[in-house]
Amino acid sequence: AQSVTQLGSHVSVSEGALVLLRCNYSSSVPPYLFWYVQYPNQGLQLLLKYTSAATLVKGINGFEAEFKKSETSFHLTKPSAHMSDAAEYFCAVSDLGANTGNQFYFGTGTSLTVIP
Amino acid sequence: DAGVTQSPTHLIKTRGQQVTLRCSPISGHKSVSWYQQVLGQGPQFIFQYYEKEERGRGNFPDRFSARQFPNYSSELNVNALLLGDSALYLCASSSDGTGFRTIYFGEGSWLTVV
């Protein structure tokens, strides 16, 4: 079965500092991994996705994530935090099993606070 | 192009009542999924429909049901509402319903049960 674990439910960084949000996955097959962002009172917006084409994935708003099979990790980073990055971030893995549709398994989320 | 649209955006129901939530997928998308997001948690999978057939069901009681229409829109029904059903209900669509496709979310329907 697929699952993801997000380490750190709350992360605070200063504006301009590095953002690092951690995600580890568990999957019985090579996974498809995703990061979504959720702003207050809104739905989830796709940041980026890993689909085995390249281990370093670039997404929107300057975010990127690196797939590391040896560490079963897919951490999200951004070199310089902006105030507008304050939001809830979710890591997810999709179920690629045969005849199981496209159920996504989400982590519990990491709330990012950016300090001016 | 319009994204995933959901209605209503907010609603308040009393325990024991029934609620119907509606979703229109992105144009051209044939798969719709429903997720429940309780405050402070990640979304939990409820249902997936593809070409009007149920493709997946999460660990939710039979009080939850859904259907998909010929135009690929979908409804989620919840009967005999409990206080614990209070949550953000998210609809997501994808092109072909397989795990290889990204799912795109709507803004959600906020349900409060009192």
Side-chain angles (χ1 to χ4, degrees), chain B residues 13-107:
Chain B
K13 292 286 188 177
T14 304
R15 278 179 299 174
Q17 286 188 318
Q18 176 264 344
V19 67
T20 298
L21 307 177
R22 296 175 178 82
C23 172
S24 293
I26 292 171
S27 178
H29 283 191
K30 299 181 178 181
S31 174
V32 169
S33 300
W34 288 95
Y35 287 78
Q36 180 196 64
Q37 187 180 17
V38 174
L39 195 63
Q41 298 183 19
Q44 296 290 317
F45 174 75
I46 309 175
F47 286 111
Q48 185 209 351
Y49 277 78
Y50 175 66
E51 291 281 16
K52 296 170 287 182
E53 292 190 359
E54 183 181 299
R55 291 290 304 278
R57 172 186 286 258
N59 187 24
F60 280 81
D62 292 342
R63 299 184 295 107
F64 289 76
S65 63
R67 56 179 175 170
Q68 186 177 32
F69 300 99
N71 66 352
Y72 303 112
S73 67
S74 177
E75 287 183 351
L76 175 69
N77 294 284
V78 186
N79 294 321
L81 285 167
L82 304 174
L83 295 179
D85 295 330
S86 296
L88 176 65
Y89 288 84
L90 294 162
C91 176
S93 77
S94 67
S95 55
D96 66 10
T98 69
F100 301 93
R101 301 289 178 247
T102 302
I103 59 174
Y104 297 91
F105 286 89
E107 295 290 304

Side-chain angles (χ1 to χ4, degrees), chain A residues 25-77:
Chain A
Y25 70 89
S26 173
S27 176
S28 55
V29 298
Y32 275 24
L33 295 161
F34 302 79
W35 276 99
Y36 285 85
V37 60
Q38 186 175 37
Y39 298 100
N41 300 315
Q42 294 187 23
L44 278 71
Q45 178 183 2
L46 178 69
L47 272 179
L48 51 80
K49 61 181 180 180
Y50 166 76
T51 58
S52 75
T55 57
L56 183 62
V57 182
K58 295 187 182 299
I60 63 172
N61 301 337
F63 284 93
E64 62 182 35
E66 186 173 9
F67 173 75
K68 292 186 176 180
K69 184 178 180 180
S70 61
E71 299 177 5
T72 62
S73 69
F74 189 57
H75 301 331
L76 182 70
T77 61

